């Protein structure tokens, strides 16, 4: 290692985590911007004042619109850790109570429509991981409408991914909202022209049924599930077969032993 390289390395090591994070975010080198994403949590953890944390979040916002998908994927993967750190530092650093809701949640929601599959999948996992940090009202009024909008997109992947997220919201939002707002979207997914969407709908049937109860399951979900069980695509029928045992836990004994018992005991 020549002297100039040694000097650069020494200068870099003298930077604080926040200074290094900013330097990497501003870099034209994609590998350094990827590194910025990976060091996000360490940077947030190192912030000792409200101003430092606010400065870090400004650079998070800048990194979130990076044109390189691998940079965006690195960033969104660290979001659950960032949310945890924000929550822990709210009182100590006198951070805005709405920081997670107003700054981090929109980033995650936006990434659910990213053009890159890996970024979208990572954003889905991040959203599921942070749902517990939000109030029932935020989940209902801010998150659910975005997922419902996603379920109506022309993009096939968006509709498939929306079914999974809607099912994840069911236990958080409860029976009433699930029946009134999520169930219609779920039934629409059961009838989707794309078999990938129908397959995921079959897989998620037990999760939705668990929240709506036996009566609604038998009257609303079971007829559509029965149709999926006879789908022209083998993968959809296989998804039904794999879900039947779990779904049977959410119907009455009368139905399990009655005319539709072929669904549960082929």
């Amino acid at each position: 290692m020549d002297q100039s390289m040694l000097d650069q390395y020494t200068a870099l090591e003298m930077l604080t985590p926040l200074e290094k994070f900013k330097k990497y975010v501003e870099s034209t080198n994609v590998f350094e911007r990827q590194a910025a994403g990976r060091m996000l949590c360490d940077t947030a953890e190192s912030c000792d004042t409200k101003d430092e944390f606010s400065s870090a979040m400004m650079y998070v916002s800048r990194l979130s619109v990076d044109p390189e998908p691998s940079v965006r994927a690195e960033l969104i993967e660290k979001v659950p850790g960032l949310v945890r750190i924000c929550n822990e530092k709210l009182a100590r650093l006198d951070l805005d109570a709405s920081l997670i809701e107003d700054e981090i949640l929109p980033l995650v929601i936006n990434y659910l429509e990213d053009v890159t599959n890996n970024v979208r999948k990572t954003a889905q996992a991040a959203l599921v991981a942070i749902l517990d940090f939000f109030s029932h009202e935020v989940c209902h009024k801010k998150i659910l409408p975005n997922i419902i909008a996603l379920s109506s997109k022309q993009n096939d992947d968006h509709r498939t991914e929306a079914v999974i997220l809607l099912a994840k919201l069911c236990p958080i939002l409860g029976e009433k909202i699930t029946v009134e707002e999520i169930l219609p979207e779920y039934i629409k997914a059961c009838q989707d022209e794309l078999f990938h969407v129908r397959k995921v709908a079959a897989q998620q049937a037990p999760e939705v049924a668990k929240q709506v109860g036996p009566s609604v399951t038998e009257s609303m979900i079971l007829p559509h599930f029965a149709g999926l069980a006879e789908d022209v695509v083998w993968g959809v029928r296989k998804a039904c077969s794999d879900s039947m045992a779990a779904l049977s836990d959410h119907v009455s004994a009368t139905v399990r032993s009655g005319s539709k018992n072929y669904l549960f005991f082929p």
Side-chain angles (χ1 to χ4, degrees):
M1 182 180 293
D2 61 36
Q3 188 60 43
S4 62
M5 292 181 63
L6 183 61
D7 291 343
Q8 291 179 11
Y9 177 79
T10 302
L12 187 62
E13 288 302 302
M14 292 178 65
L15 297 177
T16 66
L18 179 57
E19 290 169 341
K20 188 183 294 187
F21 177 68
K22 291 179 177 180
K23 178 179 176 64
Y24 281 175
V25 170
E26 294 172 341
S27 175
T28 57
N29 184 319
V30 64
F31 297 109
E32 290 187 343
R33 299 201 307 278
Q34 288 173 1
R38 290 193 294 272
M39 67 173 62
L40 172 60
C41 291
D42 289 340
T43 301
E45 197 75 72
S46 73
C47 294
D48 292 323
T49 67
K50 182 177 182 178
D51 287 344
E52 286 181 349
F53 208 97
S54 297
S55 180
M57 290 304 300
M58 287 178 58
Y59 277 79
V60 168
S61 178
R62 178 171 174 175
L63 194 64
S64 72
V65 295
D66 195 281
E68 175 56 47
S70 62
V71 175
R72 301 196 301 275
E74 291 284 1
L75 174 65
I76 194 65
E77 184 178 352
K78 299 299 182 183
V79 160
L82 175 63
V83 168
R84 176 186 56 78
I85 294 167
C86 286
N87 192 58
E88 292 172 352
K89 288 179 176 282
L90 279 176
R92 182 155 59 89
L93 300 186
D94 192 28
L95 302 177
D96 292 337
S98 61
L99 173 65
I100 298 173
E101 177 185 341
D102 291 345
E103 295 190 37
I104 301 178
L105 179 59
L107 185 158
V108 179
I109 295 294
N110 287 339
Y111 274 22
L112 293 177
E113 295 189 52
D114 197 273
V115 295
T116 304
N117 183 62
N118 184 45
V119 176
R120 289 198 313 276
K121 295 292 187 184
T122 309
Q124 291 169 40
L127 179 60
V128 172
I130 65 176
L131 283 175
D132 288 343
F133 287 93
F134 299 109
S135 67
H136 184 276
E137 183 179 5
V138 170
C139 289
H140 182 205
K141 299 297 186 181
K142 289 196 172 183
I143 298 177
L144 179 60
N146 281 285
I147 306 306
I148 289 177
L150 205 62
S151 70
S152 300
K153 295 288 184 180
Q154 288 188 333
N155 185 297
D156 300 341
D157 289 335
H158 289 160
R159 298 202 307 278
T160 303
E161 293 155 3
V163 177
I164 298 171
L165 292 172
L166 286 171
K168 295 294 185 184
L169 282 169
C170 287
I172 295 172
L173 295 176
E175 180 180 352
K176 186 176 186 295
I177 294 173
T178 297
V179 171
E180 293 178 354
E181 300 182 41
I182 295 179
L183 186 58
E185 300 301 322
Y186 173 77
I187 291 173
K188 187 169 65 176
C190 291
Q191 302 168 326
D192 198 279
E193 62 182 17
L194 181 73
F195 82 89
H196 290 296
V197 179
R198 301 196 304 274
K199 178 181 176 181
V200 172
Q203 292 170 337
Q204 300 301 321
E207 292 299 320
V208 181
K210 183 178 181 180
Q211 294 305 313
V212 301
S215 178
V216 175
T217 296
E218 292 163 14
S219 64
M220 301 291 289
I221 294 178
L222 214 53
H224 294 284
F225 189 83
L228 294 174
E230 297 179 351
D231 199 275
V232 295
V233 178
W234 177 85
V236 178
R237 300 196 302 274
K238 175 65 165 56
C240 286
S241 177
D242 292 341
S243 301
M244 283 177 185
L247 183 60
S248 70
D249 291 338
H250 307 297
V251 299
S252 65
T254 302
V255 168
R256 285 199 297 272
S257 61
S259 61
K260 293 188 183 297
N261 70 343
Y262 68 89
L263 286 173
F264 309 114
F265 305 105

